[in-house]
Amino acid sequence: MIVTATTGAFFPVANYSPEFRESASGKLGGSIDAPRVDNYKKCSICSLQIKANSQASPHVNGSNVCLKHDHRLNIDPFGQGKLMQDGFVFRQSFSIRSYEIGADRAASIETMMNLLQETSLNHAKSVGLMGDGFGSTPEMSKRNLIWVVAKMQVLVDRYPTWGDVVQIDTWIAASGKNGMRRDWLVRDSNTRDILMRASSLWVMMNEETRKLSKIPGQVKTEIEVNFVDLPRVLDWDSKKLPKLDEITADYTRTGLTPKWSDLDVNQHVNNVKYIGWILEEVTVRAAEIQAKVAYNRPL
Protein backbone atom coordinates (compact mmCIF):
# COMPACT_ATOMS: atom_id res chain seq x y z
CA MET A 1 0.00 0.00 0.00
CA ILE A 2 1.36 3.44 -0.94
CA VAL A 3 -0.03 6.53 0.75
CA THR A 4 0.28 10.02 -0.74
CA ALA A 5 -1.15 13.38 0.29
CA THR A 6 -0.79 17.13 0.11
CA THR A 7 -0.10 19.06 3.30
CA GLY A 8 -1.45 22.37 2.03
CA ALA A 9 -4.98 21.58 3.09
CA PHE A 10 -3.99 21.35 6.75
CA PHE A 11 -2.41 24.79 7.14
CA PRO A 12 -4.18 28.08 7.93
CA VAL A 13 -5.96 29.64 4.98
CA ALA A 14 -8.37 32.53 5.53
CA ASN A 15 -10.88 32.46 2.69
CA TYR A 16 -14.59 31.82 2.40
CA SER A 17 -16.45 30.82 -0.72
CA PRO A 18 -18.04 33.99 -2.21
CA GLU A 19 -21.08 31.93 -3.12
CA PHE A 20 -21.34 30.83 0.51
CA ARG A 21 -21.40 34.44 1.69
CA GLU A 22 -23.96 35.52 -0.91
CA SER A 23 -26.30 32.56 -0.57
CA ALA A 24 -26.52 32.34 3.21
CA SER A 25 -29.22 34.43 4.87
CA GLY A 26 -29.36 33.39 8.54
CA LYS A 27 -26.68 33.24 11.18
CA LEU A 28 -24.69 30.30 12.48
CA GLY A 29 -23.83 31.71 15.86
CA GLY A 30 -23.60 35.24 14.52
CA SER A 31 -20.54 35.49 12.27
CA ILE A 32 -21.04 33.28 9.24
CA ASP A 33 -24.18 33.01 7.16
CA ALA A 34 -26.25 29.86 7.57
CA PRO A 35 -28.14 27.55 5.17
CA ARG A 36 -31.22 29.09 3.65
CA VAL A 37 -34.57 27.57 2.87
CA ASP A 38 -37.85 29.25 1.99
CA ASN A 39 -40.77 30.39 4.17
CA TYR A 40 -38.94 31.39 7.35
CA LYS A 41 -39.75 33.68 10.24
CA LYS A 42 -37.04 35.24 12.38
CA CYS A 43 -36.48 34.75 16.07
CA SER A 44 -36.87 38.17 17.72
CA ILE A 45 -33.91 37.48 20.02
CA CYS A 46 -31.15 36.27 17.70
CA SER A 47 -32.57 36.60 14.16
CA LEU A 48 -32.20 32.87 13.55
CA GLN A 49 -34.69 31.83 10.91
CA ILE A 50 -37.52 29.46 11.84
CA LYS A 51 -39.71 27.83 9.22
CA ALA A 52 -43.24 29.08 9.75
CA ASN A 53 -45.21 26.05 8.61
CA SER A 54 -42.93 23.23 9.74
CA GLN A 55 -44.15 20.71 12.27
CA ALA A 56 -40.58 20.47 13.53
CA SER A 57 -40.72 24.04 14.89
CA PRO A 58 -41.52 23.93 18.61
CA HIS A 59 -44.34 26.05 20.02
CA VAL A 60 -44.60 27.69 23.43
CA ASN A 61 -47.91 29.36 24.30
CA GLY A 62 -48.95 29.08 20.67
CA SER A 63 -45.92 30.88 19.22
CA ASN A 64 -42.89 29.67 17.28
CA VAL A 65 -39.76 29.68 19.43
CA CYS A 66 -36.07 29.54 18.68
CA LEU A 67 -34.33 26.41 19.91
CA LYS A 68 -31.36 28.50 20.94
CA HIS A 69 -33.39 30.59 23.38
CA ASP A 70 -35.83 28.03 24.73
CA HIS A 71 -33.80 26.65 27.65
CA ARG A 72 -36.30 23.86 28.21
CA LEU A 73 -35.35 22.47 24.78
CA ASN A 74 -31.60 22.98 25.01
CA ILE A 75 -29.44 19.88 25.31
CA ASP A 76 -26.32 19.38 27.41
CA PRO A 77 -23.58 21.07 25.32
CA PHE A 78 -21.38 18.02 25.84
CA GLY A 79 -24.15 15.58 25.02
CA GLN A 80 -25.32 14.39 21.61
CA GLY A 81 -25.80 17.87 20.22
CA LYS A 82 -28.92 19.52 18.87
CA LEU A 83 -30.62 20.48 15.63
CA MET A 84 -30.64 24.15 14.66
CA GLN A 85 -32.11 26.18 11.82
CA ASP A 86 -35.37 24.25 11.65
CA GLY A 87 -33.52 20.94 11.76
CA PHE A 88 -31.19 21.57 8.80
CA VAL A 89 -28.05 22.30 10.82
CA PHE A 90 -26.64 20.07 13.56
CA ARG A 91 -24.56 21.59 16.36
CA GLN A 92 -22.38 19.83 18.92
CA SER A 93 -19.73 21.01 21.39
CA PHE A 94 -16.61 19.20 22.57
CA SER A 95 -13.96 19.86 25.20
CA ILE A 96 -10.40 19.17 24.05
CA ARG A 97 -8.93 16.50 26.34
CA SER A 98 -5.31 16.15 27.42
CA TYR A 99 -4.89 12.95 25.39
CA GLU A 100 -6.07 14.71 22.23
CA ILE A 101 -3.22 17.20 22.05
CA GLY A 102 0.25 16.71 20.65
CA ALA A 103 3.77 17.78 21.60
CA ASP A 104 2.91 21.35 20.55
CA ARG A 105 0.10 21.41 23.17
CA ALA A 106 -2.55 21.82 20.46
CA ALA A 107 -5.16 19.40 19.22
CA SER A 108 -3.90 17.28 16.36
CA ILE A 109 -5.52 17.22 12.93
CA GLU A 110 -6.55 13.64 13.69
CA THR A 111 -8.43 14.84 16.76
CA MET A 112 -10.24 17.50 14.76
CA MET A 113 -11.09 15.09 11.94
CA ASN A 114 -12.49 12.62 14.44
CA LEU A 115 -14.69 15.36 15.90
CA LEU A 116 -15.99 16.19 12.43
CA GLN A 117 -16.85 12.55 11.91
CA GLU A 118 -18.56 12.33 15.29
CA THR A 119 -20.82 15.28 14.51
CA SER A 120 -21.68 13.72 11.15
CA LEU A 121 -22.81 10.46 12.73
CA ASN A 122 -24.76 12.21 15.48
CA HIS A 123 -26.40 14.41 12.86
CA ALA A 124 -27.55 11.34 10.95
CA LYS A 125 -28.81 9.77 14.15
CA SER A 126 -30.70 12.90 15.20
CA VAL A 127 -32.71 13.04 11.96
CA GLY A 128 -33.47 9.31 11.95
CA LEU A 129 -31.02 8.32 9.23
CA MET A 130 -28.97 5.80 11.18
CA GLY A 131 -29.38 2.22 10.01
CA ASP A 132 -27.34 -0.85 10.89
CA GLY A 133 -24.15 0.39 9.26
CA PHE A 134 -21.69 3.04 10.39
CA GLY A 135 -23.57 6.10 9.14
CA SER A 136 -25.70 4.11 6.69
CA THR A 137 -29.39 4.93 6.42
CA PRO A 138 -32.04 2.19 6.88
CA GLU A 139 -32.49 1.85 3.09
CA MET A 140 -28.72 1.73 2.60
CA SER A 141 -28.43 -1.03 5.18
CA LYS A 142 -30.98 -3.13 3.29
CA ARG A 143 -28.74 -2.91 0.22
CA ASN A 144 -25.36 -3.35 1.96
CA LEU A 145 -24.37 0.22 1.06
CA ILE A 146 -22.01 2.41 3.06
CA TRP A 147 -20.73 5.98 2.72
CA VAL A 148 -17.10 6.57 1.78
CA VAL A 149 -15.22 9.86 1.49
CA ALA A 150 -14.28 10.61 -2.12
CA LYS A 151 -12.81 14.05 -1.52
CA MET A 152 -12.28 16.37 1.40
CA GLN A 153 -10.72 19.77 1.97
CA VAL A 154 -9.93 21.16 5.41
CA LEU A 155 -8.72 24.70 6.10
CA VAL A 156 -7.39 25.38 9.60
CA ASP A 157 -7.04 28.91 10.96
CA ARG A 158 -6.02 27.82 14.46
CA TYR A 159 -5.87 24.57 16.38
CA PRO A 160 -7.60 24.52 19.79
CA THR A 161 -5.57 23.68 22.88
CA TRP A 162 -6.16 21.58 25.98
CA GLY A 163 -9.34 22.64 27.79
CA ASP A 164 -10.76 24.67 24.91
CA VAL A 165 -14.40 24.02 24.02
CA VAL A 166 -15.13 23.84 20.31
CA GLN A 167 -18.55 24.17 18.70
CA ILE A 168 -19.14 22.37 15.41
CA ASP A 169 -21.99 23.06 12.99
CA THR A 170 -22.58 20.66 10.11
CA TRP A 171 -25.08 20.24 7.28
CA ILE A 172 -25.49 18.24 4.07
CA ALA A 173 -26.29 19.06 0.45
CA ALA A 174 -26.60 17.29 -2.87
CA SER A 175 -23.50 16.90 -5.04
CA GLY A 176 -24.24 15.86 -8.60
CA LYS A 177 -26.46 12.86 -9.24
CA ASN A 178 -24.64 10.33 -7.09
CA GLY A 179 -22.90 12.24 -4.35
CA MET A 180 -23.55 14.05 -1.10
CA ARG A 181 -21.65 17.02 0.23
CA ARG A 182 -21.14 17.66 3.92
CA ASP A 183 -19.77 20.91 5.32
CA TRP A 184 -18.50 21.78 8.79
CA LEU A 185 -17.85 25.06 10.56
CA VAL A 186 -15.77 24.89 13.76
CA ARG A 187 -15.64 27.71 16.34
CA ASP A 188 -14.07 28.43 19.67
CA SER A 189 -17.12 28.43 21.96
CA ASN A 190 -15.64 31.14 24.16
CA THR A 191 -14.29 33.66 21.64
CA ARG A 192 -16.58 32.67 18.73
CA ASP A 193 -13.50 32.72 16.47
CA ILE A 194 -13.58 30.47 13.42
CA LEU A 195 -11.04 27.69 13.93
CA MET A 196 -11.63 25.44 10.96
CA ARG A 197 -13.79 25.01 7.86
CA ALA A 198 -14.22 21.78 5.96
CA SER A 199 -16.11 20.49 2.95
CA SER A 200 -16.35 16.89 1.75
CA LEU A 201 -17.81 14.74 -1.00
CA TRP A 202 -19.29 11.35 -0.11
CA VAL A 203 -20.24 8.49 -2.42
CA MET A 204 -21.76 5.07 -1.82
CA MET A 205 -19.96 1.76 -1.90
CA ASN A 206 -21.31 -1.78 -1.74
CA GLU A 207 -19.93 -3.27 1.45
CA GLU A 208 -19.72 -6.78 -0.02
CA THR A 209 -18.38 -6.11 -3.52
CA ARG A 210 -16.36 -3.03 -2.44
CA LYS A 211 -17.46 -1.29 -5.63
CA LEU A 212 -18.98 2.17 -5.92
CA SER A 213 -22.74 2.33 -6.33
CA LYS A 214 -25.29 4.79 -7.64
CA ILE A 215 -27.66 6.21 -5.05
CA PRO A 216 -30.88 4.15 -5.22
CA GLY A 217 -34.12 6.11 -5.47
CA GLN A 218 -35.31 4.89 -2.07
CA VAL A 219 -32.11 6.13 -0.44
CA LYS A 220 -32.29 9.47 -2.23
CA THR A 221 -35.83 9.93 -0.95
CA GLU A 222 -34.57 9.26 2.59
CA ILE A 223 -31.77 11.79 2.60
CA GLU A 224 -32.77 14.59 0.24
CA VAL A 225 -35.31 16.06 2.68
CA ASN A 226 -32.32 17.04 4.81
CA PHE A 227 -30.39 18.70 1.99
CA VAL A 228 -29.73 22.44 2.08
CA ASP A 229 -29.22 24.39 -1.14
CA LEU A 230 -26.02 26.14 -0.13
CA PRO A 231 -22.58 26.40 -1.79
CA ARG A 232 -19.52 25.01 -0.05
CA VAL A 233 -18.34 26.79 3.08
CA LEU A 234 -14.95 27.32 1.41
CA ASP A 235 -13.50 27.69 -2.06
CA TRP A 236 -12.74 24.23 -3.40
CA ASP A 237 -9.17 23.71 -4.52
CA SER A 238 -9.54 22.11 -7.94
CA LYS A 239 -5.84 21.31 -8.20
CA LYS A 240 -5.33 17.63 -8.89
CA LEU A 241 -2.64 15.75 -7.03
CA PRO A 242 -0.30 13.75 -9.26
CA LYS A 243 -0.68 10.01 -9.12
CA LEU A 244 2.33 8.49 -7.42
CA ASP A 245 3.76 5.03 -7.41
CA GLU A 246 7.04 3.47 -6.30
CA ILE A 247 8.79 4.95 -9.34
CA THR A 248 7.44 8.52 -9.41
CA ALA A 249 7.27 9.17 -5.65
CA ASP A 250 10.26 10.76 -3.91
CA TYR A 251 9.69 8.64 -0.83
CA THR A 252 7.67 5.48 -0.32
CA ARG A 253 6.86 3.12 2.49
CA THR A 254 6.02 -0.43 1.60
CA GLY A 255 4.59 -3.22 3.68
CA LEU A 256 2.08 -0.97 5.45
CA THR A 257 -0.46 -3.36 6.93
CA PRO A 258 -3.59 -2.05 8.71
CA LYS A 259 -3.93 -3.10 12.33
CA TRP A 260 -7.22 -4.18 13.86
CA SER A 261 -7.45 -0.79 15.58
CA ASP A 262 -7.30 0.91 12.16
CA LEU A 263 -10.64 -0.60 11.10
CA ASP A 264 -14.06 0.86 11.78
CA VAL A 265 -17.30 -1.07 12.16
CA ASN A 266 -17.62 -1.28 8.37
CA GLN A 267 -14.40 -3.33 8.39
CA HIS A 268 -12.45 -0.82 6.33
CA VAL A 269 -9.71 1.64 7.18
CA ASN A 270 -11.27 4.87 8.34
CA ASN A 271 -10.30 7.98 6.38
CA VAL A 272 -8.86 9.60 9.52
CA LYS A 273 -6.39 6.72 9.83
CA TYR A 274 -4.94 7.56 6.42
CA ILE A 275 -4.23 11.08 7.65
CA GLY A 276 -2.45 9.66 10.67
CA TRP A 277 -0.31 7.37 8.52
CA ILE A 278 0.64 10.19 6.17
CA LEU A 279 1.52 12.69 8.87
CA GLU A 280 3.53 10.11 10.80
CA GLU A 281 5.69 9.46 7.74
CA VAL A 282 6.04 13.19 7.01
CA THR A 283 7.13 13.81 10.60
CA VAL A 284 9.66 10.99 10.56
CA ARG A 285 11.10 12.11 7.25
CA ALA A 286 11.34 15.75 8.39
CA ALA A 287 13.20 14.66 11.53
CA GLU A 288 15.65 12.65 9.43
CA ILE A 289 16.32 15.63 7.17
CA GLN A 290 16.86 17.95 10.13
CA ALA A 291 19.32 15.50 11.68
CA LYS A 292 21.31 15.20 8.46
CA VAL A 293 21.41 18.97 7.99
CA ALA A 294 22.57 19.43 11.58
CA TYR A 295 25.46 17.02 11.06
CA ASN A 296 26.29 18.35 7.58
CA ARG A 297 25.47 15.07 5.92
CA PRO A 298 24.13 14.72 2.35
CA LEU A 299 20.41 14.16 2.09
Side-chain angles (χ1 to χ4, degrees):
M1 180 182 293
I2 300 175
V3 178
T4 63
T6 178
T7 57
F10 301 129
F11 290 90
V13 179
N15 69 319
Y16 291 101
S17 163
E19 294 82 3
F20 179 79
R21 288 184 178 277
E22 294 175 1
S23 298
S25 60
K27 295 290 182 181
L28 282 176
S31 60
I32 293 293
D33 291 337
R36 179 185 65 201
V37 292
D38 296 331
N39 197 18
Y40 272 114
K41 290 183 178 179
K42 287 188 176 181
C43 168
S44 59
I45 301 176
C46 66
S47 296
L48 283 174
Q49 293 182 328
I50 303 170
K51 198 168 186 180
N53 63 351
S54 172
Q55 294 179 354
S57 297
H59 290 76
V60 174
N61 296 327
S63 301
N64 285 328
V65 298
C66 173
L67 289 173
K68 181 178 180 181
H69 293 101
D70 183 14
H71 298 291
R72 290 167 294 179
L73 297 175
N74 278 342
I75 300 174
D76 177 0
F78 301 112
Q80 293 301 302
K82 58 185 176 181
L83 290 168
M84 310 290 291
Q85 295 292 310
D86 196 37
F88 287 92
V89 176
F90 182 77
R91 174 174 294 174
Q92 189 166 7
S93 297
F94 302 89
S95 178
I96 302 301
R97 313 296 183 181
S98 60
Y99 52 81
E100 294 174 322
I101 62 175
D104 59 355
R105 299 176 180 267
S108 66
I109 187 64
E110 286 184 84
T111 291
M112 300 307 296
M113 297 295 287
N114 277 320
L115 294 184
L116 298 188
Q117 181 170 268
E118 182 71 7
T119 56
S120 301
L121 293 171
N122 287 331
H123 182 198
K125 185 190 302 182
S126 68
V127 295
L129 289 180
M130 187 69 77
D132 295 332
F134 195 48
S136 297
T137 70
E139 290 293 336
M140 289 173 63
S141 297
K142 293 177 183 178
R143 295 164 175 78
N144 295 314
L145 296 174
I146 59 176
W147 289 112
V148 292
V149 182
K151 189 175 184 180
M152 189 170 190
Q153 185 169 342
V154 179
L155 300 181
V156 180
D157 296 312
R158 176 173 66 83
Y159 287 98
T161 58
W162 180 22
D164 286 348
V165 176
V166 296
Q167 175 187 287
I168 304 178
D169 289 342
T170 185
W171 56 90
I172 56 176
S175 180
K177 294 182 178 179
N178 285 294
M180 181 184 76
R181 196 189 80 240
R182 178 175 286 279
D183 286 2
W184 297 267
L185 190 61
V186 183
R187 286 191 182 86
D188 183 305
S189 290
N190 183 37
T191 64
R192 311 303 301 158
D193 292 339
I194 301 295
L195 302 179
M196 187 167 81
R197 299 177 291 281
S199 188
S200 61
L201 172 63
W202 298 71
V203 294
M204 288 188 183
M205 183 177 76
N206 187 292
E207 188 175 12
E208 294 181 348
T209 65
R210 317 308 283 185
K211 293 181 179 180
L212 297 182
S213 169
K214 292 183 178 180
I215 301 179
Q218 296 89 336
V219 176
K220 185 172 293 186
T221 300
E222 264 185 328
I223 62 177
E224 65 184 1
V225 294
N226 298 288
F227 285 168
V228 174
D229 184 14
L230 182 70
R232 288 183 294 270
V233 72
L234 50 83
D235 283 323
W236 196 267
D237 186 353
S238 59
K239 178 178 60 180
K240 291 186 177 181
L241 298 177
K243 292 184 177 180
L244 301 178
D245 53 31
E246 295 182 8
I247 298 176
T248 57
D250 291 333
Y251 309 104
T252 64
R253 176 181 172 179
T254 58
L256 184 59
T257 303
K259 302 186 297 294
W260 178 256
S261 60
D262 293 327
L263 306 180
D264 61 24
V265 297
N266 285 329
Q267 301 296 302
H268 83 293
V269 176
N270 188 271
N271 61 287
V272 179
K273 291 295 183 180
Y274 281 97
I275 296 173
W277 290 347
I278 293 166
L279 293 182
E280 183 68 22
E281 291 305 307
V282 170
T283 303
V284 170
R285 181 57 186 167
E288 291 175 351
I289 293 175
Q290 288 179 348
K292 290 179 179 180
V293 170
Y295 286 98
N296 245 345
R297 296 175 182 172
L299 297 178

